[in-house]
Every structure is written in structure tokens, then in C-alpha cells.
Amino acid sequence: MSIFSKFLTGMSFRTTTPTFEAGEEIEVYVTEVDEESGELVALVGETRLHFENGETDIVGCRVLAKVESFDDAEHRGRVTHLKTLSRGSF
């Protein structure tokens, strides 16, 4: 094993399209309101998570959300807002 291989052992790159499981609780940053549906959206890389509830005043906030459903092929999911963790960017 080369020194370079030893150095890289255990390292991995993050994906731009993470996946989530239904029932999982995650911390996300609410980025926008979808113009078509009017729903709140959190972008995690290229993955879009649409909120089933929540007020527009949480745009720009870090929140705790519960994954209700997730489509691995489309990298889209539905989440429920549980709690606002912090206001403003983090």
C-alpha cells in the first residue's frame, strides 16, 4: 500500500444528492418558497425537500424536520417542520 493510499484510507466525498429515510429527523436550512406550489423548500445539495407545514417566516432559518417520504430517483422529499432551531444563516 502506498503512502498516498494510506493517507486516503477512510476518506470519502460528500454527494450532491443525499438520500433520506422516512421517519428520519434532520436539521436543514429553509432556503425558499416554491413559486409554483407556494411550499417551503430546503435544498440539501441538489436534493429538494418540500415542507408539508410551516409558515413563510422560517425562510432563512435552520430547522428540525421529519422526513415523511423520499424519492431516491428524483432526489425529492416531503418533510414536516418540527422545531425552529435558529433564525438567520448559520
Side-chain angles (χ1 to χ4, degrees), residues 4-87:
F4 185 68
S5 296
K6 288 180 183 180
F7 178 75
L8 294 178
T9 300
M11 292 182 71
S12 63
F13 294 99
R14 292 189 305 181
T15 178
T16 60
T17 52
T19 60
F20 301 100
E21 297 291 326
E24 187 176 353
E25 291 185 4
I26 56 175
E27 291 182 19
V28 294
Y29 184 74
V30 182
T31 55
E32 63 189 49
V33 176
D34 186 283
E35 291 180 15
E36 292 177 17
S37 66
E39 295 175 323
L40 297 169
V41 176
L43 296 174
V44 183
E46 295 175 20
T47 297
R48 292 179 67 85
L49 301 172
H50 290 262
F51 284 81
E52 294 185 350
N53 66 340
E55 300 296 323
T56 57
D57 67 337
I58 64 170
V59 172
C61 297
R62 187 170 58 99
V63 301
L64 181 63
K66 181 178 178 184
V67 179
E68 299 300 334
S69 64
F70 191 79
D71 182 347
D72 288 334
E74 295 293 321
H75 303 290
R76 301 285 186 264
R78 303 217 39 92
V79 297
T80 301
H81 174 251
L82 299 176
K83 178 178 162 183
T84 300
L85 301 173
S86 66
R87 299 229 172 247

